[in-house]
Amino acid sequence: MTAKNDISFVIVSYNSAHTLRGAIESCIKAVEEIYPETGKVIVYDNASKDKCPQILDDFTRRYPEIFIGKKGEQNLGFGAANNRAVAALPSKVYVLINPDVTFKPQIISRLKTTLNSAPDVAIVCPKLLYPDKSVQPSIRRFPTFNFLLFKYLLGDKIQNLIYPFDYYYACMPPPRKNVEINWAIGAFMMVSGKYVERYGLFDERFFLYFEDVSLCVDAWQNGYRVLFQPSASALHLYQRSSTSSKFNYLTLVHMVSALKFFAKYRRYQKSWQLIAFMLKFNLKIQNVWRFLILSKIQKLQQP
């Protein structure tokens, strides 16, 4: 039986060579200072086309006792790649880090103390900061179907007028100690190894987006808690790729993941049934419209 590490830092990379080194170096430094004998860093690369594979080779050569680089043959998606990395390194604690995150080693001890503060704590997340050190709204309430529907169709400003929803805990005072939250974005999460061993990590039905929301929903439903620790902070070079324009490919991926999320959980299934009915009805209308147009064209073509 393979001995468990005390802690494993997990990064999934995909064409992220411009920030990957900084993220890995933060993890390496934390292992060297706190867990020199019992900590590991693993990066799973999702078949990047940039220099990510070369970066993995470099760290493997420089830190053979600490660093593990795995090169995927295809892009498995964020959740599935994290699952592969976690399976390769059984650990008591997992720290999931985005390739655009950097941090100081001392925050790891604070987060681990919070994680071990009670047996029902599954996930602890730090405060995330933008490059200018302003606070990123990374802790959030579970989304509702109507909130996302209006947000996608009408945009943030009109959505707030029609369907106000405290998605980012705007009314919550800045906590001075750890507090329970619905969920936090998966850019930086410390997860209990016991929880992962019992329930697994990410749902691989989500290729990208909503796997972190689903993970936190599952934790709460399994009788565990998700905590936010504001005394620990990390720098996140955040880019809102899915919302940088009115519509792009990542927006579509985000919408598909949202629909999968609402289809997964019972309390959302009525909303999912409604959207499925609307799509089905819309398809019927389109078919009738095509039939009428085709019939009209055929009549015009008759002598």
Side-chain angles (χ1 to χ4, degrees):
M1 184 176 180
T2 305
K4 291 184 178 180
N5 299 299
D6 279 342
I7 194 166
S8 289
F9 293 85
V10 180
I11 300 173
V12 170
S13 59
Y14 179 68
N15 293 339
S16 47
H18 59 296
T19 59
L20 182 58
R21 283 188 180 275
I24 296 175
E25 286 167 355
S26 290
C27 297
I28 292 285
K29 190 172 182 180
V31 170
E32 289 182 329
E33 291 191 15
I34 310 173
Y35 303 96
E37 304 295 330
T38 57
K40 298 286 185 183
V41 179
I42 182 169
V43 177
Y44 191 102
D45 184 68
N46 263 330
S48 294
K49 303 301 182 184
D50 62 3
K51 294 184 178 181
C52 281
Q54 292 92 315
I55 293 174
L56 266 59
D57 290 339
D58 180 41
F59 278 96
T60 300
R61 177 183 55 80
R62 291 164 55 196
Y63 301 96
E65 301 299 322
I66 296 177
F67 182 82
I68 298 172
K70 287 190 170 292
K71 302 174 186 176
E73 296 182 357
Q74 58 182 339
N75 188 351
L76 299 178
F78 180 80
N82 268 288
N83 290 346
R84 301 297 187 279
V86 164
L89 278 179
S91 301
K92 298 176 184 177
V93 174
Y94 297 101
V95 183
L96 312 181
I97 307 286
N98 268 18
D100 59 354
V101 168
T102 59
F103 60 93
K104 302 295 184 181
Q106 57 264 29
I107 76 166
I108 300 302
S109 298
R110 295 176 194 168
L111 294 173
K112 191 176 180 184
T113 297
T114 305
L115 186 69
N116 294 332
S117 62
D120 65 341
V121 179
I123 303 167
V124 180
C125 301
K127 178 169 60 180
L128 296 181
L129 305 176
Y130 288 115
D132 64 1
K133 302 300 177 67
S134 61
V135 177
Q136 179 183 340
S138 60
I139 57 173
R140 303 174 185 183
R141 300 187 190 279
F142 293 132
T144 67
F145 179 83
N146 290 339
F147 165 71
L148 286 182
L149 179 64
F150 289 129
K151 182 181 174 70
Y152 286 137
L153 294 179
L154 305 175
D156 291 332
K157 292 183 179 179
I158 300 178
Q159 169 265 307
N160 285 328
L161 292 173
I162 297 177
Y163 187 84
F165 181 67
D166 187 15
Y167 186 52
Y168 297 105
Y169 286 97
C171 298
M172 186 172 126
R176 296 183 179 179
K177 59 181 181 179
N178 67 76
V179 292
E180 294 181 356
I181 56 172
N182 282 182
W183 71 285
I185 63 173
F188 194 128
M189 287 180 160
M190 179 176 283
V191 187
S192 163
K194 289 183 178 179
Y195 179 84
V196 173
E197 186 176 3
R198 185 172 183 181
Y199 295 104
L201 190 62
F202 289 121
D203 186 335
E204 296 186 11
R205 284 177 287 186
F206 301 97
F207 180 82
L208 183 64
Y209 303 123
F210 278 86
E211 66 286 312
D212 44 7
V213 194
S214 180
L215 172 64
C216 293
V217 172
D218 292 343
W220 282 108
Q221 290 188 344
N222 290 327
Y224 287 77
R225 293 186 292 153
V226 180
L227 300 182
F228 172 60
Q229 178 52 270
S231 67
S233 61
L235 194 65
H236 186 200
L237 305 175
Y238 183 57
Q239 293 184 353
R240 301 182 65 186
S241 301
S242 66
T243 55
S244 58
S245 63
K246 184 67 177 177
F247 190 84
N248 56 37
Y249 171 71
L250 290 178
T251 302
L252 177 61
V253 173
H254 196 276
M255 293 171 64
V256 170
S257 292
L259 291 176
K260 289 181 179 179
F261 174 79
F262 293 124
K264 177 179 177 179
Y265 297 101
R266 179 166 303 196
R267 62 175 169 165
Y268 295 119
Q269 285 178 356
K270 287 186 178 180
S271 296
W272 169 251
Q273 290 168 358
L274 174 62
I275 192 65
F277 170 79
M278 291 171 62
L279 291 171
K280 187 176 181 179
F281 181 75
N282 182 58
L283 182 61
K284 288 183 178 180
I285 293 295
Q286 290 183 26
N287 288 336
V288 170
W289 183 249
R290 291 192 188 99
F291 174 76
L292 292 175
I293 292 176
L294 182 62
S295 298
K296 188 173 182 179
I297 292 174
Q298 289 175 342
K299 287 181 179 180
L300 291 174
Q301 292 176 341
Q302 290 177 355

